[in-house]
Amino acid sequence: MIERRHDHLVRVRPRPDLRYVSQGRAVLATDPDGFFDGGPDRGFFVHETRLLSRYRWLVEGEPWKPVALSNVGQHSWLGYYACYPPGAAAGPRDTGSGHLEEASQQTLELRLSRFVGGGMHEDVDLANFSRHETAFTLLLAVDADFADLEETRTERVQRGRLTRAWTPGAQGGELAFDYEAEHAYDRQGNRGVARLWRGLRLRVRRASSEVREAAHDLSFFVALAPGARWHACLDFIPVLEGEPVEPGYGCRSFGGSASPYDRRREVFLEESTSFSTRESETLAAVVIGAVEQAKRDLESLRLPDLDVDARAWTMAAGLPLYVALYGRDMLTAAWQAGLLGPEMMRGTLPTLARWQGRERNDWRDEAPGRMLHEAHTGPLSVLNFHPRARYYGSQTTSGFYPLVLAELWHWTGDEELVRPLVAPALDALAWLDRECARDGFYWYRTRSEQGVANQGWKDSGDAIVREDGALVEAPVATCEEQAFVYVAKLHLSETLWWLGEKEQAKRLRHEAQALKDRFADAFWMEDEGFVALGLDARGRRLGSVASNPGHCLAAGIVEKDRARAVADRLMADDLFSGWGIRTLSCDHPAFNPYSYHRGSVWPVEHGSFALGFMRYGLHEHLERLCRAQFEAARLFDFHRLPEVFSGHARDEDHPFPAIYPQTNSPQAWSASAVFGLLQALLGLYPYAPLKALVVDPWLPAWLPEVTVRGLRVGDARVTIRFHRDGEASAYEVLEKRGTLHVVRQPSPWSVTAGLGERLADALASVQG
């Protein structure tokens, strides 16, 4: 079936005024012409520090004309520029052509090739394609300011001593920037003097002519005969607390594999699950494009300084604002992307265990057992202008940690890997029970004078509102935070049962069930047929209709006889925009389609919502939700869902959605969401302890066939082709290595401590 589409020219780009070349902690953010001269979010950043604030190549003091500029990979970029050869007599012009057309007939070309790793490498190549000799001054305008990323958008707060020194050398030289700052801080018992020392070495090598430094420019005198070429290599070497960080790339690196960054990337891409389809006339190609791009985006956000080992790593939250450690983002992305393999869970869980709270520190919202919210490495954080160098103000992270540990157990069945992480998981739950529990539910409230007010899933300051739009003051018990604690205790109890900790397992299972029973009474709004957003400080229901209850479906805390009503309400016109579920009903007085949490659409939620719909067997809701998200992905560059987009209705007046102006893209948990969508459609769930993979596919007409290749469950690998068979969905195992039982089981997402027994019965019947 060929769909009639009217959006064939739509390509939406988040932050259209910026272009990114990035890998790990290093981000080059330029204007569309490939250069920058100050401005918000622009520069070459490493560890959230703007090392370069100005960067532009000039010919005889004039800008080059961009011809074609594009990323090659997320970490690499190529730009072609042209001009008429300086000093050459003007030749005949094409009719009405202007200067650029003239340059196309007699062309001096500048080609810039950029590679970002630990630092940055740039190849600079000139070619005289004209029939004239030319001589000119090639200028590089360059400067540094060592601003914190946040300070590029606001007033400068930290100020230190910046020095600049040029040292000439054979075929080049080195321009060195050094910056030192200190700050005496006194915040809620945290006192001291924090110091920062960062620098940048701009090393020019292999230059075809002499380079000189003058004012804020590096200059090269270039003379080129017709057909002649000129070259220089530039290495940008960050210096962190006196330690240089090599760029990781050299000349002509588009081929890949020469850099340790490339080799590491290729290992992941080769070993992780891959996806394909034979379909070309449905939405299937978009689905495959989205998941394959998401796989590369997750790897590009990898933070190599936090690698546990080559196959255990974690990632930053997103570009450009969140190139840092975010606990709940890492956990969510690692869990939702489990289809790819266990690497991200294997790296994220021990990393967060190392950062787990050890003491009472109110300024940082830290407490023993509490899991990290965020850890930043920019100047304002290192100098302790705020507590975000190590900040714990999220309730979600502590509830998610035990859940993701159980997911790692389900994917790997590796007791040696999982057992050391049980204690941190139990400590996180103990913190929740000790310091958040009141009247049978879990409440959040900051202790920090610079803390995050809302510490649930929606953490912006105006996210939690009453029915009339008034802000809700803490303490608050939001519905999804109860759901996260419920499913964490339930899944961890099942893991502990396998590990022989039967009494602990019984206790957690009992506590989970008791919480579910209390929740059913306290949070249900009979008139709406929906779950309340939360409870206020007096225990009154917050009746605002929002997306939060979708997480309650995903966690399974909603009673079965209420699940369809909740799903229907989520998909009603005031919440479902046509592209996705809004964070707040458009009928609410506080609705704003551009807001962060009061009417926008977050792809990350939909990865969870889809699994919730599958959990309860709500296949019509699942199909409609997944289709909307993949049709949205079709509109964005590279089929890449951004962090958040607007909640405008999908109608004749809105053929594509607007975007939250400060959205991040790529974003780790938006990338991971597409795997949650696909996993739900395939009805796929791993159970490595029993060497089992449960499937229950429900493929819609727009996704009639997909092959999942090299999926890992425990020590086994399997390739499965899923396809429609008439109106039904079927699957065939194409290849299998190792012992793995592939079992069809309705609603496999209904995972409880009894799943092992049900699977054992199913396996026995199959084997019998």
CSV table of all heavy atoms in Angstrom, one decimal, residues 418-444:
chain,number,residue,atom,x,y,z
A,418,VAL,N,25.7,-9.2,38.4
A,418,VAL,CA,24.5,-8.5,39.1
A,418,VAL,C,24.7,-8.5,40.6
A,418,VAL,O,24.4,-7.5,41.2
A,418,VAL,CB,23.2,-9.3,38.7
A,418,VAL,CG1,22.1,-8.8,39.6
A,418,VAL,CG2,22.9,-9.0,37.2
A,419,ARG,N,25.2,-9.5,41.2
A,419,ARG,CA,25.3,-9.6,42.6
A,419,ARG,C,26.0,-8.4,43.3
A,419,ARG,O,25.5,-7.9,44.3
A,419,ARG,CB,25.9,-10.9,43.1
A,419,ARG,CG,25.7,-11.1,44.6
A,419,ARG,CD,26.3,-12.5,45.0
A,419,ARG,NE,25.4,-13.6,44.7
A,419,ARG,CZ,24.3,-13.9,45.4
A,419,ARG,NH1,24.0,-13.2,46.5
A,419,ARG,NH2,23.6,-14.9,45.0
A,420,PRO,N,27.1,-7.9,42.8
A,420,PRO,CA,27.8,-6.8,43.5
A,420,PRO,C,26.9,-5.5,43.5
A,420,PRO,O,27.2,-4.6,44.3
A,420,PRO,CB,29.1,-6.6,42.7
A,420,PRO,CG,29.3,-7.9,42.0
A,420,PRO,CD,28.0,-8.4,41.7
A,421,LEU,N,25.9,-5.4,42.6
A,421,LEU,CA,25.1,-4.2,42.5
A,421,LEU,C,23.8,-4.3,43.3
A,421,LEU,O,23.1,-3.3,43.3
A,421,LEU,CB,24.8,-4.0,41.0
A,421,LEU,CG,26.1,-3.8,40.1
A,421,LEU,CD1,25.7,-3.8,38.6
A,421,LEU,CD2,26.9,-2.6,40.5
A,422,VAL,N,23.6,-5.4,43.9
A,422,VAL,CA,22.4,-5.6,44.7
A,422,VAL,C,22.4,-4.6,45.9
A,422,VAL,O,21.4,-4.0,46.3
A,422,VAL,CB,22.2,-7.0,45.2
A,422,VAL,CG1,21.1,-7.1,46.2
A,422,VAL,CG2,21.8,-7.9,44.0
A,423,ALA,N,23.5,-4.5,46.6
A,423,ALA,CA,23.6,-3.7,47.8
A,423,ALA,C,23.3,-2.2,47.5
A,423,ALA,O,22.5,-1.6,48.2
A,423,ALA,CB,25.0,-3.8,48.5
A,424,PRO,N,23.9,-1.6,46.4
A,424,PRO,CA,23.5,-0.3,46.1
A,424,PRO,C,22.0,-0.1,45.8
A,424,PRO,O,21.4,0.9,46.1
A,424,PRO,CB,24.4,0.1,44.8
A,424,PRO,CG,25.5,-0.8,44.9
A,424,PRO,CD,25.0,-2.1,45.6
A,425,ALA,N,21.4,-1.1,45.1
A,425,ALA,CA,20.0,-1.1,44.8
A,425,ALA,C,19.2,-1.1,46.1
A,425,ALA,O,18.2,-0.3,46.3
A,425,ALA,CB,19.6,-2.3,43.9
A,426,LEU,N,19.5,-1.9,47.0
A,426,LEU,CA,18.8,-2.0,48.3
A,426,LEU,C,19.0,-0.7,49.1
A,426,LEU,O,18.1,-0.2,49.8
A,426,LEU,CB,19.3,-3.2,49.1
A,426,LEU,CG,18.8,-4.6,48.6
A,426,LEU,CD1,19.5,-5.7,49.4
A,426,LEU,CD2,17.3,-4.7,48.7
A,427,ASP,N,20.2,-0.1,49.1
A,427,ASP,CA,20.5,1.1,49.8
A,427,ASP,C,19.6,2.2,49.2
A,427,ASP,O,19.2,3.1,49.9
A,427,ASP,CB,22.0,1.5,49.7
A,427,ASP,CG,22.8,0.6,50.6
A,427,ASP,OD1,22.3,-0.1,51.4
A,427,ASP,OD2,24.1,0.6,50.4
A,428,ALA,N,19.4,2.2,47.8
A,428,ALA,CA,18.6,3.3,47.2
A,428,ALA,C,17.2,3.1,47.7
A,428,ALA,O,16.5,4.2,48.0
A,428,ALA,CB,18.7,3.1,45.7
A,429,LEU,N,16.7,1.9,47.7
A,429,LEU,CA,15.3,1.7,48.2
A,429,LEU,C,15.2,2.1,49.7
A,429,LEU,O,14.2,2.6,50.2
A,429,LEU,CB,14.9,0.3,48.0
A,429,LEU,CG,14.6,-0.2,46.6
A,429,LEU,CD1,14.3,-1.6,46.5
A,429,LEU,CD2,13.5,0.7,46.0
A,430,ALA,N,16.2,1.8,50.5
A,430,ALA,CA,16.2,2.1,51.9
A,430,ALA,C,16.1,3.6,52.1
A,430,ALA,O,15.5,4.1,53.0
A,430,ALA,CB,17.5,1.6,52.6
A,431,TRP,N,16.9,4.4,51.2
A,431,TRP,CA,16.8,5.9,51.3
A,431,TRP,C,15.3,6.3,51.0
A,431,TRP,O,14.8,7.2,51.7
A,431,TRP,CB,17.7,6.5,50.3
A,431,TRP,CG,17.5,8.0,50.2
A,431,TRP,CD1,17.8,9.0,51.1
A,431,TRP,CD2,16.7,8.7,49.2
A,431,TRP,NE1,17.4,10.2,50.7
A,431,TRP,CE2,16.7,10.0,49.6
A,431,TRP,CE3,16.0,8.3,48.1
A,431,TRP,CZ2,16.0,11.0,48.8
A,431,TRP,CZ3,15.4,9.2,47.3
A,431,TRP,CH2,15.4,10.6,47.7
A,432,LEU,N,14.7,5.7,50.0
A,432,LEU,CA,13.3,6.1,49.7
A,432,LEU,C,12.4,5.8,50.9
A,432,LEU,O,11.6,6.6,51.2
A,432,LEU,CB,12.9,5.3,48.5
A,432,LEU,CG,13.4,5.8,47.1
A,432,LEU,CD1,13.3,4.8,46.0
A,432,LEU,CD2,12.7,7.1,46.7
A,433,ASP,N,12.6,4.6,51.5
A,433,ASP,CA,11.7,4.3,52.6
A,433,ASP,C,12.0,5.1,53.8
A,433,ASP,O,11.0,5.4,54.6
A,433,ASP,CB,11.9,2.8,52.9
A,433,ASP,CG,11.3,1.9,51.9
A,433,ASP,OD1,10.3,2.3,51.2
A,433,ASP,OD2,11.8,0.7,51.7
A,434,ARG,N,13.2,5.5,54.0
A,434,ARG,CA,13.6,6.2,55.2
A,434,ARG,C,13.2,7.7,55.2
A,434,ARG,O,12.8,8.3,56.2
A,434,ARG,CB,15.1,6.0,55.5
A,434,ARG,CG,15.6,6.6,56.7
A,434,ARG,CD,17.1,6.3,56.9
A,434,ARG,NE,17.9,7.0,55.9
A,434,ARG,CZ,18.6,6.3,54.9
A,434,ARG,NH1,18.5,5.0,54.8
A,434,ARG,NH2,19.3,7.0,54.0
A,435,GLU,N,13.5,8.3,54.0
A,435,GLU,CA,13.4,9.8,54.0
A,435,GLU,C,12.3,10.3,53.1
A,435,GLU,O,12.1,11.5,53.1
A,435,GLU,CB,14.8,10.3,53.5
A,435,GLU,CG,15.9,9.9,54.5
A,435,GLU,CD,17.1,10.7,54.3
A,435,GLU,OE1,17.0,11.9,53.9
A,435,GLU,OE2,18.2,10.3,54.7
A,436,CYS,N,11.7,9.5,52.3
A,436,CYS,CA,10.6,10.0,51.4
A,436,CYS,C,9.2,9.4,51.7
A,436,CYS,O,8.2,10.0,51.3
A,436,CYS,CB,10.9,9.6,49.9
A,436,CYS,SG,12.5,10.2,49.3
A,437,ALA,N,9.2,8.3,52.4
A,437,ALA,CA,7.9,7.7,52.7
A,437,ALA,C,7.2,8.4,53.8
A,437,ALA,O,7.7,8.8,54.9
A,437,ALA,CB,8.1,6.2,53.1
A,438,ARG,N,5.9,8.7,53.6
A,438,ARG,CA,5.0,9.3,54.6
A,438,ARG,C,3.6,9.0,54.2
A,438,ARG,O,3.2,9.1,53.0
A,438,ARG,CB,5.2,10.8,54.5
A,438,ARG,CG,4.5,11.6,55.7
A,438,ARG,CD,4.4,13.1,55.4
A,438,ARG,NE,3.2,13.4,54.6
A,438,ARG,CZ,2.9,14.5,54.0
A,438,ARG,NH1,3.8,15.5,54.1
A,438,ARG,NH2,1.8,14.7,53.4
A,439,ASP,N,2.8,8.5,55.2
A,439,ASP,CA,1.4,8.1,55.0
A,439,ASP,C,1.3,7.1,53.8
A,439,ASP,O,0.3,7.1,53.1
A,439,ASP,CB,0.6,9.4,54.6
A,439,ASP,CG,0.6,10.4,55.8
A,439,ASP,OD1,0.7,10.0,56.9
A,439,ASP,OD2,0.5,11.6,55.5
A,440,GLY,N,2.3,6.2,53.7
A,440,GLY,CA,2.2,5.2,52.7
A,440,GLY,C,2.6,5.5,51.3
A,440,GLY,O,2.6,4.6,50.5
A,441,PHE,N,3.1,6.7,51.1
A,441,PHE,CA,3.5,7.1,49.7
A,441,PHE,C,4.9,7.8,49.8
A,441,PHE,O,5.4,8.1,50.9
A,441,PHE,CB,2.4,8.0,49.1
A,441,PHE,CG,1.1,7.3,48.9
A,441,PHE,CD1,0.0,7.7,49.6
A,441,PHE,CD2,1.0,6.3,48.0
A,441,PHE,CE1,-1.2,7.0,49.5
A,441,PHE,CE2,-0.2,5.6,47.8
A,441,PHE,CZ,-1.3,5.9,48.6
A,442,TYR,N,5.4,8.2,48.6
A,442,TYR,CA,6.7,8.7,48.5
A,442,TYR,C,6.7,10.2,48.0
A,442,TYR,O,6.1,10.4,46.9
A,442,TYR,CB,7.6,7.8,47.6
A,442,TYR,CG,7.7,6.4,48.1
A,442,TYR,CD1,6.8,5.4,47.9
A,442,TYR,CD2,8.8,6.2,48.9
A,442,TYR,CE1,7.0,4.2,48.5
A,442,TYR,CE2,9.0,4.9,49.5
A,442,TYR,CZ,8.1,3.9,49.3
A,442,TYR,OH,8.2,2.7,49.8
A,443,TRP,N,7.2,11.0,48.8
A,443,TRP,CA,7.2,12.5,48.6
A,443,TRP,C,8.5,13.0,48.3
A,443,TRP,O,9.5,12.5,48.8
A,443,TRP,CB,6.6,13.2,49.8
A,443,TRP,CG,5.3,12.6,50.3
A,443,TRP,CD1,5.1,11.4,50.9
A,443,TRP,CD2,4.0,13.1,50.2
A,443,TRP,NE1,3.8,11.1,51.2
A,443,TRP,CE2,3.1,12.2,50.7
A,443,TRP,CE3,3.5,14.3,49.6
A,443,TRP,CZ2,1.7,12.4,50.8
A,443,TRP,CZ3,2.1,14.5,49.7
A,443,TRP,CH2,1.2,13.6,50.3
A,444,TYR,N,8.6,14.1,47.6
A,444,TYR,CA,9.9,14.8,47.4
A,444,TYR,C,9.8,16.2,47.9
A,444,TYR,O,8.8,16.9,47.8
A,444,TYR,CB,10.4,14.7,45.9
A,444,TYR,CG,9.5,15.4,44.9
A,444,TYR,CD1,9.3,16.8,44.8
A,444,TYR,CD2,8.8,14.6,44.0
A,444,TYR,CE1,8.6,17.4,43.9
A,444,TYR,CE2,8.0,15.2,43.0
A,444,TYR,CZ,7.9,16.6,43.0
A,444,TYR,OH,7.1,17.2,42.0
